[in-house]
Structure formats: C-alpha cells, structure tokens
Amino acid sequence: MVKVYRDFQYAKKFINKSTVAIGNFDGVHLGHLSLLKKAKKLASNSNTSFTILTFAPHPLKVLRPEFEPKSILRFRTKIEMLERAGVEIVLAQRFTKSFSKITAEKFVYDVLKNGLKAKNVVVGDDFKFGYKREGDVSYLVSKEFSEIFKVHIINEISGKYGRYSSSSIRGMISSGDMLKVKESLGYFYIVEGRVVSGEKLGRELGFPTANIHYNNNVIPEDGIYAGWVLHEKKQYMAAISTGIRPQFKGKKRFLEAYLINFNGNLYGKNIKVSLVKKIRDEKVFSDIEKMKLEMKHDCDKALNILNKYKI
C-alpha cells in the first residue's frame, strides 16, 4: 500500500533512498503515465523507492488564489491512481507561504537530498522550482548536484490533440467534449462525491436523480450527458444533467444522475460519475409533458451511447 507523507522533514525518517518524480499530477493523464513508467523502471533498476513529490494545496491557492485551477481529480483518487501506476511513496508536501520562500538550492539539498534521499530525479522539460520559480531543469542538471543524484528529463509528450497537459484537459472538460478528454486522460472524466438531498423535482417527473455538488472540481459545460455511475463496485448506466436547471429557474450549479433501471436509495452514499458523451444542451420547454418526453429520449440516447462506450 502506498505511503503518504505531508512534510519532507517527517518523511525523511522513513525513506532510505528513492527515485523521485516531481509534479502536480492532476488527472494522472497519459503524459503523466509516460513519466511514471520511466520513473518506475529507474526505481527498479537502482533498487530505490518509487516516490512522487507533489504539493498540496496547489501552490497557486497560496500565492495567487484567484488563479487556482479547479481539480480534475480529488486528492484521494489521485493517490489511488498513482498507486496503480506502481508508486510506493507520495510526499504531498504541504504548500505554505513559508515553504514557497525556500530557495532553489535549499529545495535541492533539504527536500531532495536530505528529505527524500533522491538518487534519481525525474521531471518534465518545463519544470520550475524554488522561490519565485528561480530553479529550472538546467540548474537541476548542473555539476553542483551531479554527485547527489541523476536527473532524467522527460521531453514534451504529445497525443492526438497536442501536448498532454492538465490545463488543456481542463479546457476540454469545460467545453463538454468528453470523448476528447478521454483521449488525453486515458479514462472518462470522473466527478465524485456524496449524494445530497435535492428538491426532488426529478422524482416528481418520474426520473429520480442522485445529486452531488462539484466542490473544487472542473465543471463541464452545462447540458445532458450519457455516463456511468459507480457505486459499491457496481456500474450503472445513467443520463446525467449538469447545470442550473433553467426550466425551474435554478441558480446553483450541480450534477444530477438518473440511474437507468436502478431501484434503491443513494442518499448519503458516495458515488463516482463518469461523463462519456454530451447529448444536448440544457433548455426550457413550453410545458412539463414535453420536458418529460425529451427526458425519455435522453435516456434512450444514453443507452445507445453507453452500449458503445464502456469503462
């Protein structure tokens, strides 16, 4: 089981020597997986612990909160995915204003050398670190540190839609193109959370829904989607609405999933919703009966889509 630490001063008590891959790893997308594969092989060949160094919260939340990006994955799910990639140790360094003032040199000596006892360091070609991002890859590979660890640089990794990056994937999610998102993530975008009690409007219409809030997730474009709901290791086909429900003059944005052919009560339970493909935009109907008929058509379309796209 992966070990998770929150501070390098504490982690150093339990680490002997390590191969360290550094990054935020939000989404654990295909570009990340390529880097992780390289790091895992290095760790195995050098008999070192396969270690991730990331930062929580996101540095921008501390330094420039107005620019903090929404998360593709919840922290716990990110850890689960890193563990599936073979990671043994995660240092999710608690990022504070004090930590942000560590110089690039101190970062190398205090965090990498003495904290994680790094023998290999794996980074992307655009990696920056230290106070005001003063350190970069060229500094990391300088002779000054060559006796401490070897640096392995992963150059740009691109896919069908260009360079893999968490920021570009956030843009894809926001535009509602979930099939394109899957091409970059390697899996369908997941929204997860605890089912909360809503206004029960869906139940009154004959389509009871499981409602969850977005919290700090990237919010997809408003509309109706086909998707899968995972609950207690079982998968259910679903028609999913995300938006403000303009038919009822709603104001708060959240996600509602109607599990097709499901009988049960999910209130208070944790679910994961995988968004597969957008069916249509939200819209206002002239009367409720027309809305109910359209919702029935949405379910039929969702079934057709989900019979083609599994998770």
Side-chain angles (χ1 to χ4, degrees):
M1 184 175 181
V2 65
K3 295 180 176 66
V4 181
Y5 302 105
R6 294 304 315 276
D7 186 82
F8 70 93
Q9 297 281 19
Y10 181 74
K12 68 182 181 181
K13 302 175 185 177
F14 306 97
I15 297 175
N16 183 14
K17 54 182 180 176
S18 64
T19 290
V20 183
I22 308 175
N24 187 264
F25 297 101
D26 187 25
V28 193
H29 56 61
L30 294 177
H32 292 145
L33 290 178
S34 180
L35 185 149
L36 293 171
K37 184 178 180 180
K38 169 84 171 179
K40 182 180 179 181
K41 185 175 181 180
L42 285 168
S44 177
N45 291 342
S46 59
N47 194 29
T48 56
S49 299
F50 181 13
T51 301
I52 292 295
L53 171 56
T54 189
F55 306 96
H58 193 286
L60 284 176
K61 183 174 184 177
V62 175
L63 301 176
R64 302 190 70 182
E66 68 275 20
F67 293 108
E68 179 197 3
K70 297 292 185 181
S71 299
I72 297 172
L73 287 177
R74 293 177 68 177
F75 179 77
R76 181 177 59 193
T77 304
K78 177 164 72 172
I79 297 299
E80 290 172 357
M81 288 190 171
L82 290 172
E83 183 175 18
R84 286 202 291 270
V87 173
E88 298 169 284
I89 297 170
V90 174
L91 171 57
Q93 176 62 44
R94 189 173 284 106
F95 197 90
T96 62
K97 285 190 176 180
S98 175
F99 184 82
S100 75
K101 294 177 181 177
I102 291 179
T103 64
E105 183 180 33
K106 282 183 67 66
F107 180 86
V108 170
Y109 283 105
D110 293 357
V111 180
L112 296 180
K113 178 179 182 292
N114 299 325
L116 296 176
K117 302 177 180 67
K119 300 302 177 185
N120 297 293
V121 176
V122 184
V123 294
D125 55 5
D126 58 351
F127 177 59
K128 299 285 180 64
F129 63 100
Y131 183 55
K132 293 186 177 180
R133 295 164 59 87
E134 63 185 357
D136 58 13
V137 169
S138 62
Y139 178 68
L140 202 58
V141 300
S142 62
K143 288 185 178 180
E144 181 180 355
F145 310 126
S146 61
E147 297 299 318
I148 302 174
F149 47 65
K150 294 181 180 178
V151 179
H152 306 266
I153 302 168
I154 305 299
N155 293 318
E156 178 177 314
I157 302 169
S158 298
K160 186 176 180 180
Y161 301 106
R163 179 173 182 153
Y164 291 120
S165 76
S166 298
S167 57
S168 66
I169 293 170
R170 292 186 192 103
M172 294 175 191
I173 294 168
S174 297
S175 68
D177 194 340
M178 295 304 158
L179 294 179
K180 185 183 287 188
V181 170
K182 184 179 185 294
E183 291 279 352
S184 295
L185 283 178
Y187 58 90
F188 289 110
Y189 177 55
I190 300 168
V191 179
E192 56 184 305
R194 188 180 301 275
V195 177
V196 298
S197 180
E199 298 176 24
K200 297 182 172 57
L201 295 173
R203 185 175 299 278
E204 292 175 8
L205 295 169
F207 298 88
T209 58
N211 306 336
I212 58 177
H213 295 303
Y214 279 109
N215 297 318
N216 198 44
N217 292 98
V218 182
I219 298 176
E221 182 178 53
D222 292 350
I224 311 302
Y225 293 79
W228 292 91
V229 173
L230 179 65
H231 172 60
E232 294 183 346
K233 298 183 179 180
K234 292 184 180 180
Q235 298 173 1
Y236 301 93
M237 293 180 172
I240 300 154
S241 171
T242 175
I244 60 173
R245 298 180 301 176
Q247 183 76 33
F248 302 101
K249 299 180 180 179
K251 294 181 179 180
K252 190 170 184 178
R253 181 170 278 103
F254 56 93
L255 181 147
E256 303 175 273
Y258 170 64
L259 282 65
I260 301 169
N261 299 323
F262 172 81
N263 291 308
N265 187 349
L266 292 175
Y267 289 122
K269 304 293 179 63
N270 288 312
I271 63 172
K272 292 184 178 181
V273 181
S274 293
L275 296 171
V276 173
K277 188 176 182 180
K278 187 174 181 180
I279 297 172
R280 63 172 174 86
D281 292 331
E282 282 192 307
K283 57 184 178 182
V284 177
F285 297 87
S286 58
D287 61 65
I288 295 300
E289 290 306 314
K290 287 183 179 178
M291 181 180 182
K292 289 167 67 174
L293 182 61
E294 185 77 0
M295 291 169 74
K296 173 65 169 62
H297 291 159
D298 293 338
C299 291
D300 292 339
K301 291 175 183 177
L303 288 173
N304 288 333
I305 292 168
L306 298 172
N307 280 322
K308 182 178 179 181
Y309 297 103
K310 309 294 184 180
I311 57 171

